[in-house]
Amino acid sequence: MVSFMNDTFAVVDLETTGTQHEENNHIIQFGCAIIKKMEVVKTYSFMINPHCEIPIAVQNLTHIRNEDVTTQPDFNYYAPKIMKILKNTIFVAHNVNFDLPFLNYELIQHGYDALTNKAIDTVELAKIAFPTMPSYKLSDLTSHLGIKHQNPHKADSDAYSTAILLIKSIQALEQLPQATLNTLSSLAHGLIRDTAWIFTTIADNLRKQKRPLAKQYQQVQHIILQQQVISNKTNNATNVTFPLSDQSKNNLFKGKINYRQPQVNLINQINKFITDPQQRAFLVEAPNGTGKTFSYLFAYSYRLYTNRKLVISTPTKVLQDQIINQEIPQLLKVTNLDLQAEIVKSSNHYLDLDGFYQSLYQNRTVNRVTLTLQMRILVWLTKTKTGDLDELQLTTYHAPLFAKISHPGDARVGSIFAKVDFWNLARQRQEAADILVTNHAYLANHYHDTIWGQNPYLVIDEAHRFNENVINSRNDSFQFESLWGELNHLRNLLYYADDSILNQYGSDVQFNFLLEKLNPAILSLIEAITNLQRSLYSKKALAVSSNTLANGNLLLSFQAADLFPQNSGFQKEIANFQRKLEDVRQQTNQIIFKLYSETDSSGIEQEALLGDLTTQIDQLDSYITQSYQLSDLLHKQNLLKHEGFIITLTNPQDPLSVNLSWMMLDASNELNQIYERFDHILFVSATLTNNNDFSFIIKQLALANLKPQTYIGANTFELKQNLEVLGVTDMPDISSTNFDEKLAQILVSCLKTKHHVLVLMTNLDKIREVFSAIANEPALRDFEILAQGVSGSNNRITKRFSIAQQAIIIGADSFWEGVDFHTCSIDLVIVAKLPFESPDQPSVKLRQKNLQSQGINVFASDTMPRAIIKFKQGMGRLIRNEKDHGQFLILDTRIWNMDYGINFLDAIPVKIKKIKLNKLRNKLDNYDKR
């Protein structure tokens, strides 16, 4: 290390009674680690009497109790010592905008001057130095970076860990190419407090060494990238033959993977299907842990030496990554085949280097979140070989920057970044690949793409979700209220803001002419919107269901024939709306063109205004697209009958609060079009049958015409050794308040020996109630408690759960089947209530109404099979392979008391054990001692 050898850092962490210092909260522990010559030379820890009670939540987090501080000196005693420790140091903290203001407030309250030291934030520093970390919580960073962290949330331990984090961050930054450091230094002025000083110091010091650019890098403009290599390999081998005998497979497996006869039987069945020219579709139910992914890869891979590709479609990114990073490398190791595999996803997953470069140099008036993200990406570009933004492991991609830097999917032939364009390179790799892994939604929308090659094979993994994902990929909405907002914002930019076009250029005759023409066009468009909203509002009485949400929104569900009868006049209204929307778009574009051609766009104000107007054009384009999708749907009566519509009223009494969404109720036509594109299609999942019957899934996937073969695989291990299923017999009725109270009591008192617990529920409101009941319980203080609808996005919850040492998820819907926990084992799954769909949900009501109109028994033919599959999927969260062990606890006594309970009992692959509540804790505590 060459930087900061003459500087002294004081890395501080405080534990406090609360986060708001001005609300009579105080410091209860001061921790500090001193760094000299980039080594930790001394640490301090002071327990401080706050002269107030420590809240239970803080005690749970810090493990500092009232009795730990009541006999200690107060802050007034320690203030002189703290001032002496921090004198002439650089103040560092993990979230410095908490620790420094809090400490300064206490100092001022006790008569001391506020600290004016340089102040560095290690959260921002770590985000930039380590841009692909899944989390920037201190405990997670220390775990990923191998930093010893003895007592998380104790100030002395946190201060030491933060000090090591600071050193590692500086070391990582010093390894970056000089051009990257120079750009980081030029951007860093907007970071928290004096964090920029770290970047400018490193860049200035290393610039003196005049380091050459390392061979693994290439420079385009001021951007440093990894060198890219694209293989043009083609597979023309003719001596690759499938090992037909089980003994030949055993010889291949030796020393690489275990030979398991049920897995080999599955391989043989798939191979038999592939080699039969008369067969088109094969349904396979294979239990979790049987190696079904390896099985289908093995069977298909020997057929890929005739320039045919294998396309694998999965529902989740986690499963895609697992196939690419684990399953295919294992396949190649076992078989010694020379095959290439690539993930196929939408272009907007890839960084657009042109857009990113422009975001760096066009407009420097960005907020700190955007700035930090730009700096993270600059560092990430020195490491990534794909440009796939998913590598950043963000929990959301809604930041405004992504609209500018996500790749639009064009060829980028004339760009300065054309030769290194990530989307172009991805397409080249996909063209050369033998195996392509994509997701259900992408396949549904791009099945006609040439990237799949000629006559490709197809595997639909987790096939029980394919119909749902195809439907969701076709669903859309028209948010009239949002369009109102966009048009009002556009008028503000044009006429009313201080820096509006009118105020800046109103004296220009041509500008004035354009502005005078555009204003009535916008007003006429707004009138057309209100006419559409009033027309839809007038159909309220025809709704098949009504559902009021917690936020007061009213959801009204409609069958297509009721909302849009033939010759209703709505088509004419929407055509009129489209003409007016196109007119506003064109006139706004004329103003943008004039701004570009006749003004000096070098100034920040003009540049920002141009950017805002261009964004408005993009928004209008999206509404034009949606309106044409709706219009096209309304003109196709054969498609319309398979659609359901939902009107959302944000104010049930106001027609102008109408928004419209539509959803596909029957995907048969779309599914058949997809199947036509592919050959020898394998549908595989752990849950395709009801009582060993494939009838429901064959209907769901519209496979009757393909006359699919079916196969149920056997477990490759003795499941009863891995799974224990318990059913409580004396829980309160599920509809009583006592049920939720008893569930909370179980979570508080029965999880002592558990590490990862998944609680599966069916109602988001009940989830919030249970979360509130247990959030601050001392018995759960070591658990990170996560709840759907409370703790952020499902993606964030899943990441937190996987990272944490101990965690509880309380979830519904997708947590039964849509989320994979491949990086951690679950000890206990608790089924609070059997997973019947709520008939109040608009989508459920519309689908059931559609089935009823066909004379179908909804409960027997739809409700029950869906619930059984979801129930089996919930169990599948627990045992993913033969190394997993756990308990599956059912609290819903309907499994014993209702006639349909036998269907759920039949779906359980091991014998269920009845248990009473007073025996439950002992049973859960002693599971691992069986």
Side-chain angles (χ1 to χ4, degrees):
M1 296 179 72
V2 300
S3 306
F4 312 110
M5 298 305 288
N6 298 320
D7 297 298
T8 301
F9 295 92
V11 186
V12 173
D13 187 79
L14 307 177
E15 301 300 342
T16 64
T17 59
T19 58
Q20 304 298 319
H21 51 69
E22 64 273 13
E23 293 181 6
N24 201 33
N25 286 306
H26 298 286
I27 298 171
I28 54 177
Q29 188 182 21
F30 171 89
C32 182
I34 300 298
I35 297 175
K36 291 185 177 181
K37 297 188 182 299
M38 297 313 294
E39 291 184 357
V40 178
V41 296
K42 191 172 181 61
T43 59
Y44 299 90
S45 177
F46 304 144
M47 300 296 289
I48 301 173
N49 187 347
H51 297 298
C52 64
E53 291 289 314
I54 302 174
I56 291 295
V58 175
Q59 292 186 48
N60 290 344
L61 182 68
T62 65
H63 292 194
I64 298 174
R65 299 163 297 174
N66 287 307
E67 52 266 36
D68 296 326
V69 295
T70 50
T71 59
Q72 298 296 323
D74 60 18
F75 186 82
N76 197 49
Y77 173 82
Y78 284 114
K81 295 177 182 284
I82 291 172
M83 293 293 286
K84 185 177 180 180
I85 291 167
L86 300 180
K87 186 177 181 181
N88 297 325
T89 66
I90 298 145
F91 190 98
V92 181
H94 203 67
N95 190 5
V96 73
N97 274 349
F98 170 77
D99 295 270
L100 183 56
F102 208 113
L103 182 57
N104 274 337
Y105 183 83
E106 289 274 38
L107 288 169
I108 291 169
Q109 293 299 107
H110 289 83
Y112 294 87
D113 291 334
L115 297 168
T116 58
N117 308 47
K118 272 194 180 76
I120 309 299
D121 183 60
T122 53
V123 176
E124 278 192 343
L125 206 58
K127 284 182 176 180
I128 298 164
F130 308 108
T132 59
M133 288 288 177
S135 165
Y136 293 92
K137 287 181 64 174
L138 183 61
S139 57
D140 297 334
L141 282 167
T142 55
S143 174
H144 277 275
L145 295 172
I147 300 171
K148 292 183 179 179
H149 198 183
Q150 300 298 332
N151 296 296
H153 300 296
K154 281 289 187 70
D156 50 346
S157 177
D158 282 355
Y160 177 80
S161 298
T162 305
I164 303 301
L165 173 62
L166 173 69
I167 294 169
K168 284 183 174 287
S169 298
I170 290 172
Q171 288 173 335
L173 292 172
E174 286 191 335
Q175 300 303 310
L176 293 173
Q178 188 63 46
T180 300
L181 285 171
N182 293 344
T183 307
L184 291 173
S185 178
S186 69
L187 297 174
H189 64 273
L191 295 177
I192 290 174
R193 295 187 181 265
D194 303 294
T195 307
W197 175 74
I198 295 289
F199 294 93
T200 55
T201 302
I202 293 173
D204 291 346
N205 285 343
L206 292 177
R207 194 178 295 116
K208 299 171 186 175
Q209 297 185 9
K210 298 181 179 179
R211 300 174 297 158
L213 188 65
K215 291 182 179 179
Q216 72 265 32
Y217 299 124
Q218 57 184 321
Q219 182 168 350
V220 183
Q221 299 294 88
H222 301 297
I223 305 292
I224 304 298
L225 305 161
Q226 282 277 329
Q227 293 280 2
Q228 300 285 335
V229 178
I230 303 295
S231 171
N232 292 316
K233 176 185 73 71
T234 56
N235 289 327
N236 295 311
T238 56
N239 59 348
V240 175
T241 56
F242 179 81
L244 287 172
S245 71
D246 291 356
Q247 183 58 50
S248 60
K249 296 184 187 72
N250 192 13
N251 293 337
L252 278 174
F253 291 3
K254 276 181 182 176
K256 298 168 185 173
I257 62 170
N258 293 330
Y259 181 91
R260 300 178 292 180
Q261 193 60 50
Q263 183 182 37
V264 172
N265 292 342
L266 176 55
I267 292 172
N268 292 337
Q269 289 292 328
I270 297 172
N271 179 64
K272 182 180 176 183
F273 160 69
I274 299 169
T275 54
D276 186 345
Q278 303 302 315
Q279 297 298 327
R280 288 283 322 283
F282 189 25
L283 286 162
V284 170
E285 180 174 89
N288 287 326
T290 57
K292 60 180 180 291
T293 306
F294 179 85
S295 298
Y296 67 66
L297 284 169
F298 189 93
Y300 277 97
S301 62
Y302 286 89
R303 310 294 164 186
L304 304 182
Y305 284 84
T306 57
N307 290 324
R308 295 179 72 177
K309 295 188 179 187
L310 170 63
V311 178
I312 302 169
S313 179
T314 77
T316 65
K317 177 184 178 296
V318 171
L319 191 50
Q320 290 175 61
D321 290 341
Q322 181 189 354
I323 291 170
I324 288 287
N325 298 323
Q326 298 174 35
E327 300 288 353
I328 290 176
Q330 183 183 59
L331 169 80
L332 301 182
K333 179 181 177 183
V334 170
T335 62
N336 291 318
L337 296 174
D338 182 21
L339 299 170
Q340 292 183 22
E342 292 290 334
I343 285 181
V344 181
K345 56 179 69 174
S346 298
S347 64
N348 59 18
H349 287 268
Y350 294 89
L351 181 72
D352 176 14
L353 285 167
D354 288 280
F356 178 64
Y357 185 75
Q358 291 168 14
S359 79
L360 293 177
Y361 296 104
Q362 277 191 349
N363 185 2
R364 293 298 342 122
T365 57
V366 297
N367 60 48
R368 198 166 64 235
V369 172
T370 298
L371 174 66
T372 306
L373 186 54
Q374 288 174 320
M375 295 178 72
R376 286 178 69 180
I377 290 172
L378 277 167
V379 176
W380 168 67
L381 284 173
T382 67
K383 306 176 187 304
T384 182
K385 290 185 178 296
T386 67
D388 184 348
L389 291 163
D390 290 339
E391 292 176 4
L392 293 171
Q393 300 203 65
L394 303 173
T395 55
T396 177
Y397 292 87
H398 296 308
L401 179 65
F402 286 108
K404 298 178 181 178
I405 68 172
S406 298
H407 204 291
D410 56 5
R412 292 299 161 96
V413 176
S415 157
I416 56 173
F417 292 101
K419 291 184 179 180
V420 291
D421 183 79
F422 290 120
W423 173 244
N424 289 350
L425 293 170
R427 295 292 283 188
Q428 291 175 39
R429 285 192 290 265
Q430 292 158 13
E431 291 282 359
D434 308 288
I435 303 172
L436 298 175
V437 185
T438 190
N439 62 68
H440 292 347
Y442 188 88
L443 180 69
N445 287 313
H446 300 87
Y447 62 89
H448 45 72
D449 198 326
T450 58
I451 201 70
W452 316 120
Q454 295 296 315
N455 204 26
Y457 298 114
L458 176 62
V459 173
I460 305 290
D461 207 333
E462 299 291 310
H464 66 283
R465 296 181 59 197
F466 189 55
N467 176 67
E468 172 197 352
N469 288 330
V470 170
I471 286 174
N472 289 338
S473 74
R474 294 292 195 274
N475 295 345
D476 213 330
S477 66
F478 201 103
Q479 302 298 315
F480 293 105
E481 285 187 304
S482 296
L483 179 53
W484 271 81
E486 296 294 345
L487 292 173
N488 286 329
H489 182 54
L490 176 59
R491 294 186 77 209
N492 192 53
L493 292 173
L494 295 170
Y495 303 103
Y496 304 117
D498 291 340
D499 59 349
S500 69
I501 299 291
L502 181 62
N503 285 339
Q504 292 190 60
Y505 307 106
S507 58
D508 183 291
V509 174
Q510 289 185 342
F511 267 116
N512 199 45
F513 173 77
L514 292 173
L515 290 169
E516 286 185 356
K517 184 181 175 185
L518 179 53
N519 193 41
I522 296 175
L523 295 175
S524 181
L525 173 58
I526 290 173
E527 182 183 4
I529 296 170
T530 63
N531 289 338
L532 288 171
Q533 290 179 300
R534 292 182 191 279
S535 176
L536 293 169
Y537 188 83
S538 69
K539 303 294 180 64
K540 278 177 65 176
L542 301 177
V544 298
S545 73
S546 173
N547 188 19
T548 302
L549 303 182
N551 61 6
N553 287 1
L554 177 65
L555 304 185
L556 301 172
S557 306
F558 294 85
Q559 292 180 295
D562 294 333
L563 193 59
F564 303 114
Q566 290 190 36
N567 305 317
S568 65
F570 189 84
Q571 285 90 334
K572 291 182 179 179
E573 290 182 27
I574 201 166
N576 179 53
F577 160 78
Q578 288 165 346
R579 285 193 298 272
K580 294 183 176 182
L581 183 53
E582 290 274 15
D583 188 33
V584 168
R585 183 196 181 282
Q586 290 173 9
Q587 292 191 43
T588 305
N589 248 337
Q590 289 175 4
I591 290 177
I592 291 175
F593 292 150
K594 184 160 178 59
L595 274 174
Y596 270 118
S597 62
E598 298 192 19
T599 66
D600 176 11
S601 61
S602 61
I604 288 176
E605 293 81 3
Q606 291 92 335
E607 185 183 302
L609 186 56
L610 275 168
D612 281 341
L613 285 172
T614 303
T615 299
Q616 293 305 115
I617 288 290
D618 292 340
Q619 294 293 335
L620 294 180
D621 282 343
S622 69
Y623 286 106
I624 290 170
T625 300
Q626 288 173 330
S627 72
Y628 279 112
Q629 287 174 348
L630 176 59
S631 183
D632 189 49
L633 192 62
L634 297 181
H635 282 88
K636 294 180 179 178
Q637 289 298 316
N638 62 323
L639 297 179
L640 192 59
K641 65 183 180 181
H642 297 310
E643 296 288 327
F645 292 84
I646 298 171
I647 289 177
T648 301
L649 291 163
T650 55
N651 179 354
Q653 309 307 317
D654 183 6
L656 302 188
S657 71
V658 162
N659 298 290
L660 181 68
S661 57
W662 53 95
M663 61 185 62
M664 185 181 289
L665 303 178
D666 184 350
S668 299
N669 184 56
E670 283 68 21
L671 290 169
N672 284 317
Q673 290 182 45
I674 294 169
Y675 302 155
E676 283 296 315
R677 177 70 174 84
F678 297 93
D679 182 41
H680 283 89
I681 307 169
L682 172 67
F683 300 84
V684 61
S685 170
T687 54
L688 291 181
T689 67
N690 280 271
N691 196 20
N692 295 332
D693 183 357
F694 285 91
S695 298
F696 175 72
I697 203 69
I698 288 173
K699 184 177 180 182
Q700 282 291 103
L701 294 174
L703 288 172
N705 291 338
L706 295 184
K707 299 178 181 178
Q709 291 182 299
T710 61
Y711 178 77
I712 298 176
N715 268 303
T716 57
F717 55 94
E718 194 69 32
L719 191 59
K720 65 182 180 181
Q721 300 298 321
N722 300 64
L723 172 66
E724 182 176 58
V725 179
L726 307 171
V728 176
T729 58
D730 57 345
M731 277 290 284
D733 185 87
I734 60 163
S735 60
S736 71
T737 56
N738 291 340
F739 182 91
D740 299 317
E741 292 171 2
K742 188 60 66 176
L743 171 59
Q745 289 175 18
I746 290 170
L747 296 179
V748 169
S749 62
C750 297
L751 305 184
K752 183 180 178 181
T753 62
K754 307 303 178 186
H755 292 90
H756 289 88
V757 178
L758 179 59
V759 183
L760 296 174
M761 300 182 68
T762 58
N763 184 292
L764 290 176
D765 292 332
K766 294 294 184 183
I767 286 175
R768 284 186 280 270
E769 292 175 13
V770 173
F771 174 81
S772 297
I774 69 171
N776 293 318
E777 285 289 340
L780 298 175
R781 66 186 181 186
D782 293 331
F783 283 88
E784 185 162 355
I785 302 173
L786 303 158
Q788 186 176 354
V790 178
S791 308
S793 68
N794 289 359
N795 189 14
R796 180 187 182 278
I797 290 171
T798 305
K799 284 184 180 179
R800 294 297 327 142
F801 185 77
S802 300
I803 291 169
Q805 297 272 330
Q806 289 184 280
I808 300 168
I809 287 180
I810 312 170
D813 304 325
S814 60
F815 285 98
W816 283 86
E817 57 178 330
V819 175
D820 292 302
F821 303 101
H822 288 286
T823 56
C824 72
S825 296
I826 298 175
D827 309 283
L828 173 66
V829 172
I830 300 175
V831 172
K833 298 179 183 179
L834 297 175
F836 290 110
E837 292 178 310
S838 169
D840 294 330
Q841 292 181 23
S843 58
V844 176
K845 189 71 174 180
L846 286 167
R847 187 183 70 243
Q848 293 182 350
K849 191 77 174 176
N850 186 48
L851 293 173
Q852 286 172 355
S853 68
Q854 301 172 48
I856 294 173
N857 182 322
V858 172
F859 185 80
S861 299
D862 189 70
T863 303
M864 197 68 214
R866 288 176 184 274
I868 293 295
I869 285 177
K870 203 166 190 176
F871 180 76
K872 290 166 69 176
Q873 279 291 316
M875 203 179 310
R877 302 304 94 198
L878 192 61
I879 308 299
R880 308 298 297 179
N881 56 61
E882 64 267 29
K883 295 179 182 179
D884 289 336
H885 293 77
Q887 292 170 293
F888 188 72
L889 174 63
I890 306 165
L891 302 182
D892 191 338
T893 56
R894 288 179 296 175
I895 202 167
W896 312 112
N897 303 332
M898 301 299 290
D899 290 342
Y900 56 71
I902 189 65
N903 295 299
F904 290 97
L905 292 172
D906 287 343
I908 299 171
V910 299
K911 185 177 180 180
I912 186 172
K913 300 175 182 178
K914 293 185 177 182
I915 191 168
K916 291 190 176 294
L917 283 168
N918 61 1
K919 304 290 186 181
L920 182 59
R921 178 175 178 176
N922 183 61
K923 191 69 174 175
L924 296 180
D925 280 351
N926 292 296
Y927 170 68
D928 292 327
K929 301 174 184 177
R930 290 173 302 158

